[in-house]
Amino acid sequence: MNYFKLKLHRLTHWEYWPFELVYYPLFPVWLYFAFKAKSFFFFNAANPSIKNGGMAMESKKEIYDLIPEQFIPKTILVDSNESTEEILSKTKAAGISFPLIAKPDIGMKAFAVYKIADKKEFVEYQNKIAGKFLVQELITFENEVGIFFVRFPDEKQGKITGIVSKEFLSVSGNGVDTIEQLIKRNPRSYFQLNELKKKYGDFLNAVLRDAEEFILVPYGSHTRGAKFVDFTSKQNEKLLQTINNICSTIKGFYFGRLDIRYNTFEELCAGEKFSIIEINGAGSEPTHIYDPRHTILFAWKEIIRHWRMLYQISNINKKKGVSYMSFKEGKEMLRANSELEALLKLI
């Protein structure tokens, strides 16, 4: 695929459009809800137990601490200023071994999230990242799904408003082409080429055996090339009960998306063989919109639907005594988030 065709593909497939192009046309809708709430930053009241409601700059470790430990990977919080030996000693004591996952405690869009194979790679990661980060058990379940859950305060039963299945970015060998050549055949992977070169270097010149699959990015991040498939139609009462039972144990959580690794969908519905790798709050997108089959109009409709529920939940909690974030606090949050995003992109 040449450069012109790649650019044309990005232009004609809205899932690759910049964030601003997708969301700025909806700004008047946000202003409408802000006017009704009498606060531009009303969303923090949606999840009172999570900093900023989980819109931005929240600690992942603090969210993990809200979740019963049987549902999450083993996770510890460390500081890059600690010695490597001290961190690895804590890692071992927590029952975490290589390969493992390292990621910022405060992050976004899977930036600076890496699978770490050994001590050498760990040292390289530690030298790049500043401040606190998480060391986490690698969950080996092959499948990943994002489940958007909404529960109105005082209601015992919530609802699933969207499910997205995530297909990890990968290539399949033919015994002839190099990995880089295979990457360039698919726009989804071609868009990630620069980052993949930084990660794999000369290994991209290797040739895979015929039909040999190689996973380029082992996590379900759309910004890092995963294909999102709308699974909302697969929701059922067993799955709803499983998710509702989990979320009802998380104090002050009413609106957000659970990213889950699992073995089979049937087992997940039954509450077996799964692990919640992350929970996102008010800043969650209904990521099933990124299914390539969906139009931008479908996406806008779903975003507005979820914003409406976000406003309604925040309004109810406000009446219960939860204060909205001040305009000054909101501006500071957005400034800090923008600066953090710029830093994480470099790691």
Side-chain angles (χ1 to χ4, degrees):
M1 175 172 286
N2 60 38
Y3 179 79
F4 175 76
K5 288 184 178 179
L6 191 66
K7 288 292 184 182
L8 183 63
H9 186 88
R10 185 188 293 273
L11 181 65
T12 56
H13 292 74
W14 77 266
E15 65 169 306
Y16 299 112
W17 292 359
F19 175 89
E20 296 80 6
L21 198 56
V22 174
Y23 278 88
Y24 278 11
L26 299 179
F27 189 63
V29 179
W30 185 269
L31 286 179
Y32 167 73
F33 290 123
F35 176 78
K36 291 187 68 176
K38 297 182 176 61
S39 169
F40 191 81
F41 298 102
F42 61 83
F43 49 76
N44 73 291
N47 298 310
S49 61
I50 302 175
K51 182 179 179 181
N52 302 328
M55 175 61 76
M57 300 304 296
E58 71 276 16
S59 163
K60 296 182 187 299
K61 184 61 170 63
E62 289 179 2
I63 295 176
Y64 284 126
D65 289 344
L66 296 172
I67 309 168
E69 63 180 13
Q70 67 266 31
F71 299 133
I72 59 174
K74 297 172 185 174
T75 305
I76 60 171
L77 178 66
V78 299
D79 194 299
S80 59
N81 293 320
E82 299 178 63
S83 71
T84 301
E85 295 304 325
E86 184 177 358
I87 295 175
L88 293 182
S89 176
K90 291 179 179 179
T91 300
K92 183 178 180 180
I96 304 170
S97 58
F98 292 113
L100 51 79
I101 295 294
K103 58 185 177 183
D105 181 42
I106 301 176
M108 67 200 78
K109 303 176 183 177
F111 293 142
V113 177
Y114 288 101
K115 178 181 176 182
I116 307 295
D118 51 35
K119 182 177 179 180
K120 178 176 179 294
E121 289 188 2
F122 188 88
V123 171
E124 291 173 354
Y125 183 86
Q126 184 182 356
N127 289 337
K128 289 179 182 179
I129 196 165
K132 295 180 180 180
F133 67 98
L134 301 180
V135 178
Q136 191 171 73
E137 170 191 14
L138 176 67
I139 300 299
T140 57
F141 295 133
E142 293 185 356
N143 302 300
E144 184 171 333
V145 72
I147 299 177
F148 211 112
F149 180 81
V150 174
R151 180 170 65 88
F152 287 86
D154 296 331
E155 290 186 355
K156 292 184 178 181
Q157 183 78 15
K159 59 183 177 180
I160 293 172
T161 61
I163 304 175
V164 62
S165 176
K166 305 176 182 184
E167 298 178 3
F168 305 143
L169 188 66
S170 64
V171 291
S172 183
N174 57 16
V176 178
D177 293 325
T178 66
I179 295 176
E180 181 171 343
Q181 289 172 324
L182 295 172
I183 288 171
K184 290 181 177 180
R185 287 187 172 188
N186 182 354
R188 190 172 299 279
S189 52
Y190 203 160
F191 287 135
Q192 303 293 321
L193 182 57
N194 290 336
E195 291 300 315
L196 294 172
K197 282 182 175 179
K198 286 196 296 184
K199 179 178 181 180
Y200 292 110
D202 292 339
F203 181 70
L204 295 185
N205 296 321
V207 176
L208 301 176
R209 298 187 302 272
D210 187 39
E212 178 185 0
E213 183 182 29
F214 179 69
I215 296 177
L216 298 164
V217 181
Y219 8 83
S221 167
H222 189 263
T223 57
R224 297 180 67 175
K227 180 181 178 181
F228 282 12
V229 180
D230 190 346
F231 260 37
T232 307
S233 63
K234 293 183 177 292
Q235 66 172 300
N236 55 68
E237 282 302 317
K238 288 181 67 177
L239 178 63
L240 175 58
Q241 195 59 49
T242 292
I243 300 302
N244 194 77
N245 288 344
I246 295 170
C247 292
S248 64
T249 67
I250 305 174
K251 182 180 178 181
F253 174 72
Y254 300 101
F255 179 97
R257 191 187 68 246
L258 290 74
D259 293 331
I260 301 172
R261 294 294 290 262
Y262 66 99
N263 189 41
T264 70
F265 195 73
E266 291 73 22
E267 288 171 325
L268 172 60
C269 292
E272 302 170 355
K273 297 183 180 179
F274 73 92
S275 183
I276 301 171
I277 56 174
E278 200 154 289
I279 286 185
N280 300 277
S284 303
E285 287 186 290
T287 46
H288 60 281
I289 64 176
Y290 289 108
D291 187 316
R293 298 170 296 179
H294 290 321
T295 66
I296 186 64
L297 292 178
F298 174 88
W300 284 339
K301 180 180 177 182
E302 285 295 279
I303 292 169
I304 293 171
R305 181 168 74 97
H306 284 79
W307 280 358
R308 181 176 292 108
M309 291 183 286
L310 178 64
Y311 159 73
Q312 292 170 336
I313 292 170
S314 299
N315 186 50
I316 293 171
N317 282 332
K318 175 68 162 56
K319 292 177 180 178
K320 290 176 174 289
V322 180
S323 299
Y324 288 154
M325 185 185 304
S326 71
F327 193 78
K328 181 179 179 181
E329 291 170 333
K331 282 181 62 179
E332 174 58 26
M333 178 200 70
L334 294 177
R335 183 198 62 77
N337 189 70
S338 180
E339 292 179 356
L340 178 63
E341 181 172 358
L343 289 173
L344 294 180
K345 284 181 177 179
L346 300 176
I347 298 176

